[in-house]
Amino acid sequence: MNRICLSISSVVALAASSVVCAGVDVKVTFHGPRTVHVVKTPDGAARAKSFAVKSAPNETAEADSEIVVTRGADGALSFATRGGRVLLSEKGAASFPRRRYVKTEYVCATQSFSVRRGEELFGLGDLENGRLRANGVDERLVPANVGDGIPYLMGEGGWALYWDSASPVRFTDIPGESTTFSSEADGTVDYWFFYGGSADGCVAEMRKLTGDVPMLPLWAYGFWQSRERYVSQEQIVDALQRYRDARIPIDGIIQDWCYWGDGDHWNAMEFLSPDFPDPKRMVDEIHKRNARVLISVWPSFGPKSRPFAAMKERGLFLPPLPTAMSEMGVRYFDSFSKEACDVYYSFLGRFVDLGIDGWWMDATDLDFNNCVTFYNRGQENGLCEAYDGATAAGPFRTVRGAYSLAAVEGVYDRTRADARRGDKRVFILTRGACAGQQRTGAAVWSGDTESNWDSLRKQIPAGCSFSLTGNPNFNCDIGGFGAIHFKLDKSAEEAAGNPYWQELYVRWMQLGTFLPMMRSHGTSICREIYLHGKPGETVYDTLVSLVKLRYALMPYIYSTAWRCSAERYTMMRPLVMDFPADREAVRSTDEFMFGESLLVAPVVEHGVTSRTVHFPSGTDWWDFFAEKKIAGGQTLDVKAGLGQVPLYVRAGTVLPIGPDVQYNGEKPWDDLEVRVYPGADGAFTLYEDDFETYACERGEFSTIRFDWNDAARTLKISERGGAAYPGRIEKRRFRVRLPGGAAVPVEYDGKSVSVKL
């Protein structure tokens, strides 16, 4: 082991400092007041490329930093606040062991740290392990079918660390001993230390470093229906029409795989199946029904497809990976190659001419239904010679962890630059995520989860942990993907009547209503709501009411999405983000905040009609449905029959309620109910734009701030901010009310006005 032999033990000026001892170059650079970059390179080796870091903050002097760095006699660094509170310390020197996987030897990088005894740790992405805390976790962090590991760790003391490596990373925490990051094929210790002061502050620093979140179109936040799969263009249009006939709101529908025909033409990115004879008419029929459509595309191609031939001719494939797909002759394209991304979009872009609205980029994790036996997260074999093959960015083993980012960003950039689309916002749904991917706005789902209660329970800590790493757009297959054990020799539509399944589906939908994207999808059992009973029946009525609730909350959801873009905010929030002083809240794995105001406590157990809810301290709460006040700082058993989802509103909340619609954009937000929940002062900013284009990035949007003075019982509606844009509502009405009270109409023309309640 090489050790850094420095005798410095006091605070030193380390800004952009570089020292060499025992063959290891150590560089510490301050980037802005809250970020420190540490790089340790052995034997003068070149630093590996960072895929996540888009544009590092400007370097600054140590004197301007809120972080104080000291270096001990053994060279270990320690990070503290200006007040002297130690946040995190390295434990000993970095090590750079050599490791041979098959025929090639790599220099690996390892650094251990010491955290304060008893400190709770969070982050690491969506690991699907049912845990929120990272304490005691031993995981291989790499994108996978079910779960995406991201080497970002947050401490409850207001600090975070991003281990910047594109190779798979091993994270091991041994409580009371050490916390260790190890890059498997990256010979550089390269990490960023943030002192955000809070979880939100840490997320903000991570976004500042790796890219901000662009606005998605309003329709992306509506209800989405999918299945594995619609087998013809008539079937997908009919599914949408049945939603319209049943008066169930919906914004989008998705065409999953195999529209290309046979396996030899896998992902040909064209409609070759005779069951899709006129795809342009199919898309037009969907649009005529006021919905949007996504289409499934993959990073791999069958041997008789045109993309395969184009990639093969130019040598743009990854090494042949021994996956189940490879046995069919399918090959994956090299997303690290600009030329390969250009070729990929030249085929994908043909869907633009059909009017398809966005991309479902499946399997960018390179893990096809968990069939990749050679490199699944958590496995140690990795003994595949193909991993030593070349990519445009180096041996595949050294960049495997960044494949999804490169693939998704390649499509995002080219879609956004496609003149045929005008200025429309890009929307991508994908199964695979890396640090920095939030800058594409991509919605990431948790993979091919099982349709069971254990999987449902895991979605809450998974989504919360994923959100902490900087990407606010988490979702999952509502109902879980694999439901084959419910089918029992019935057709996929008949199986929807299974009572056990229906209970699980309702409970999953109650969670999905409060995720950044609300999307029903799966196999074996059809998920369309109109197949789950009829009006007057509990299951059917509950499913429909949840979708309607989603649309009622749309002004709140869209305004929160704007905060994610403009303020580096987070939509799906573990309770530690808002209530760090409440120990029970910090450790909660089955409750979360949806935006600033809504406490969601989904039922995740079979056969129960009540559940325990902890109401975080420091505020009072209101039952959203019963409109009854509940004191914070207590844990209660609440009723939660199948038709009930425990949902609570923080005191001081100003909550706009949208109109009753069948799809986003059907009615303007010119007559909104505004609910005020007393018990504390509060504020809310209603954000609007054209809901569709990037004009919002040029300042064309509207903001209306509401301020509630609890003592005076007065709601002030401030003068409208922003700038004019086509379609802006110039005059409108707000119907303001307190829980249980009558609405007070307020006419608003953009000028400040107050109402006393």
Side-chain angles (χ1 to χ4, degrees):
M1 177 187 298
N2 293 318
R3 298 185 65 82
I4 305 171
C5 306
L6 297 174
S7 60
I8 304 170
S9 59
S10 59
V11 179
V12 292
L14 294 175
S17 68
S18 181
V19 252
V20 179
C21 190
V24 177
D25 178 82
V26 181
K27 186 173 184 180
V28 179
T29 311
F30 289 83
H31 289 269
R34 295 188 166 193
T35 299
V36 174
H37 187 201
V38 177
V39 179
K40 302 182 181 183
T41 311
D43 303 321
R47 178 192 168 200
K49 175 184 177 180
S50 175
F51 291 90
V53 176
K54 189 70 172 178
S55 55
N58 292 331
E59 294 185 19
T60 187
E62 183 203 7
D64 298 326
S65 177
E66 296 181 26
I67 305 169
V68 176
V69 183
T70 60
R71 186 181 275 128
D74 63 352
L77 303 176
S78 183
F79 306 90
T81 66
R82 281 286 170 192
R85 179 166 62 94
V86 176
L87 301 166
L88 182 71
S89 300
E90 293 181 346
K91 187 170 185 178
S95 63
F96 301 93
R98 294 182 177 274
R99 182 175 180 183
R100 181 181 297 276
Y101 290 92
V102 186
K103 297 179 180 179
T104 305
E105 186 176 80
Y106 295 86
V107 177
C108 308
T110 298
Q111 178 69 63
S112 293
F113 300 87
S114 294
V115 301
R116 291 181 298 116
R117 185 173 297 275
E119 180 163 19
E120 309 283 7
L121 304 175
F122 304 91
L124 304 183
D126 163 21
L127 296 181
E128 295 290 319
N129 60 5
R131 303 180 57 176
L132 182 66
R133 296 184 302 139
N135 302 77
V137 167
D138 181 16
E139 279 276 5
R140 207 152 167 280
L141 306 178
V142 68
N145 179 317
V146 179
D148 297 293
I150 296 174
Y152 172 96
L153 183 71
M154 189 197 85
E156 62 175 322
W159 59 268
L161 185 149
Y162 168 56
W163 183 268
D164 193 358
S165 175
S167 86
V169 173
R170 190 87 200 182
F171 172 84
T172 305
D173 179 73
I174 304 175
E177 293 188 25
S178 62
T179 302
T180 303
F181 287 91
S182 299
S183 299
E184 294 188 357
D186 182 349
T188 303
V189 167
D190 186 339
Y191 68 86
W192 299 79
F193 180 83
F194 310 118
Y195 176 55
S198 65
D200 278 306
C202 290
V203 169
E205 292 299 310
M206 182 63 172
R207 298 241 194 101
K208 190 185 301 182
L209 181 72
T210 61
D212 283 318
V213 181
M215 286 294 291
L216 298 180
L218 179 64
W219 48 260
Y221 296 102
F223 176 66
W224 285 79
Q225 184 62 66
S226 179
R227 72 162 67 165
E228 195 274 322
R229 63 186 174 88
Y230 295 113
V231 299
S232 69
Q233 68 182 64
E234 286 77 18
Q235 189 180 56
I236 190 173
V237 173
D238 178 67
L240 176 61
Q241 184 59 50
R242 292 180 71 176
Y243 267 96
R244 294 289 180 237
D245 292 343
R247 301 292 295 167
I248 304 171
I250 187 172
D251 257 280
I253 199 160
I254 303 174
Q255 178 58 52
D256 204 350
W257 60 349
C258 291
Y259 55 85
W260 49 74
D262 58 39
D264 283 343
H265 293 86
W266 176 266
N267 193 41
M269 294 198 282
E270 56 183 322
F271 289 89
L272 301 176
S273 167
D275 295 314
F276 295 86
D278 191 348
K280 182 65 168 65
R281 181 171 65 84
M282 176 190 76
V283 174
D284 290 345
E285 290 293 324
I286 291 172
H287 287 167
K288 282 199 310 187
R289 289 161 176 80
N290 297 297
R292 313 288 177 146
V293 60
L294 304 184
I295 193 163
S296 171
V297 294
W298 295 63
S300 50
F301 305 99
K304 293 185 179 179
S305 67
R306 290 199 288 171
F308 184 100
M311 294 284 185
K312 182 179 180 180
E313 179 184 0
R314 295 166 176 81
L316 299 176
F317 283 127
L318 290 178
L321 305 176
T323 69
M325 300 296 293
S326 296
E327 295 176 5
M328 300 163 49
V330 170
R331 294 285 300 275
Y332 294 82
F333 87 103
D334 182 357
S335 67
F336 302 105
S337 163
K338 179 183 181 300
E339 183 182 5
C341 289
D342 287 340
V343 172
Y344 189 89
Y345 192 76
S346 71
F347 290 95
L348 175 65
R350 292 178 299 178
F351 288 139
V352 173
D353 294 327
L354 296 179
I356 287 174
D357 301 286
W359 318 126
W360 181 3
M361 296 184 67
D362 208 339
T364 57
D365 46 62
L366 299 179
D367 184 353
F368 179 71
N369 290 340
N370 286 328
C371 290
V372 185
T373 60
F374 61 98
Y375 225 44
N376 278 342
R377 195 189 70 239
Q379 294 185 5
E380 292 298 339
N381 46 25
L383 300 178
C384 170
E385 190 170 349
Y387 261 65
D388 299 323
T391 74
F396 183 57
R397 196 183 299 277
T398 67
V399 296
R400 186 262 181 271
Y403 183 88
S404 178
L405 172 61
V408 173
E409 190 163 36
V411 169
Y412 171 78
D413 289 344
R414 287 161 179 78
T415 305
R416 184 157 180 174
D418 192 331
R420 293 171 297 174
R421 299 183 74 258
D423 196 33
K424 291 182 179 179
R425 298 175 199 170
V426 180
F427 182 55
I428 297 172
L429 172 65
T430 191
R431 195 196 74 190
C434 316
Q437 204 162 302
Q438 75 280 345
R439 62 181 178 250
T440 69
V444 178
W445 91 93
S446 56
D448 294 345
T449 54
E450 287 297 314
S451 296
N452 57 44
W453 293 95
D454 182 59
S455 185
L456 170 59
R457 282 189 292 272
K458 290 176 178 177
Q459 298 314 300
I460 298 174
C464 288
S465 297
F466 182 75
S467 298
L468 283 174
T469 66
N471 192 326
N473 293 325
F474 173 83
N475 70 104
C476 59
D477 292 346
I478 294 178
F481 177 73
I484 192 168
H485 49 290
F486 287 112
K487 198 169 179 183
L488 302 176
D489 298 323
K490 293 185 176 181
S491 71
E493 291 198 3
E494 290 174 330
N498 181 310
Y500 188 87
W501 153 258
Q502 289 189 332
E503 180 193 359
L504 177 65
Y505 189 44
V506 166
R507 295 305 194 189
W508 212 309
M509 189 75 79
Q510 288 172 345
L511 167 63
T513 302
F514 305 100
L515 296 181
M517 183 181 186
M518 185 184 187
R519 181 184 57 87
S520 170
H521 176 73
T523 189
S524 302
I525 293 181
C526 294
R527 312 301 169 90
E528 289 80 5
I529 292 174
Y530 52 75
L531 296 174
H532 288 79
K534 56 187 178 182
E537 297 177 353
T538 299
V539 170
Y540 180 90
D541 287 351
T542 301
L543 293 172
V544 173
S545 69
L546 288 166
V547 176
K548 287 180 174 291
L549 175 59
R550 174 76 174 196
Y551 283 87
L553 294 173
M554 201 56 63
Y556 172 80
I557 293 171
Y558 195 68
S559 298
T560 302
W562 167 69
R563 290 189 65 187
C564 292
S565 292
E567 301 175 11
R568 301 182 172 126
Y569 193 64
T570 298
M571 188 176 293
M572 186 180 185
R573 306 171 61 80
L575 298 188
V576 67
M577 297 191 81
D578 295 285
F579 309 100
D582 185 325
R583 304 313 299 168
E584 188 165 347
V586 165
R587 294 194 168 203
S588 174
T589 61
D590 60 0
E591 300 176 30
F592 63 96
M593 294 295 293
F594 186 52
E596 184 177 21
S597 299
L598 300 180
L599 173 66
V600 188
V603 174
V604 291
E605 303 288 340
H606 166 56
V608 303
T609 57
S610 65
R611 65 150 291 171
T612 298
V613 175
H614 178 68
F615 295 90
S617 58
T619 182
D620 289 334
W621 299 90
W622 289 85
D623 185 308
F624 179 87
F625 300 104
E627 298 194 335
K628 302 287 181 152
K629 194 174 183 181
I630 302 167
Q634 59 178 325
T635 301
L636 301 174
D637 193 60
V638 304
K639 292 181 179 180
L642 186 60
Q644 299 168 289
V645 55
L647 178 64
Y648 305 94
V649 188
R650 191 202 299 241
T653 289
V654 179
L655 184 66
I657 300 296
D660 182 12
V661 296
Q662 289 296 296
Y663 56 90
N664 276 317
E666 182 186 24
K667 298 175 184 176
W669 294 350
D670 60 353
D671 189 3
L672 297 181
E673 178 184 339
V674 177
R675 299 180 185 176
V676 178
Y677 294 84
D681 293 344
F684 179 80
T685 299
L686 176 67
Y687 173 85
E688 297 164 294
D689 53 28
D690 65 17
F691 300 136
E692 181 74 22
T693 76
Y694 289 107
C696 58
E697 296 183 353
R698 300 186 291 273
E700 296 181 23
F701 59 82
S702 164
T703 57
I704 301 173
R705 181 181 169 94
F706 299 78
D707 285 277
W708 169 248
N709 185 317
D710 198 58
R713 283 295 195 268
T714 300
L715 181 70
K716 178 183 177 182
I717 308 175
S718 297
E719 182 177 353
R720 179 170 46 218
Y725 58 88
R728 188 179 77 171
I729 301 171
E730 299 301 330
K731 294 184 178 181
R732 65 202 310 164
R733 171 179 294 180
F734 296 117
R735 290 170 285 111
V736 184
R737 75 172 183 88
L738 295 172
V744 177
V746 179
E747 303 298 325
Y748 180 78
D749 62 2
K751 297 182 177 63
S752 179
V753 62
S754 294
V755 56
K756 189 173 180 65
L757 300 177

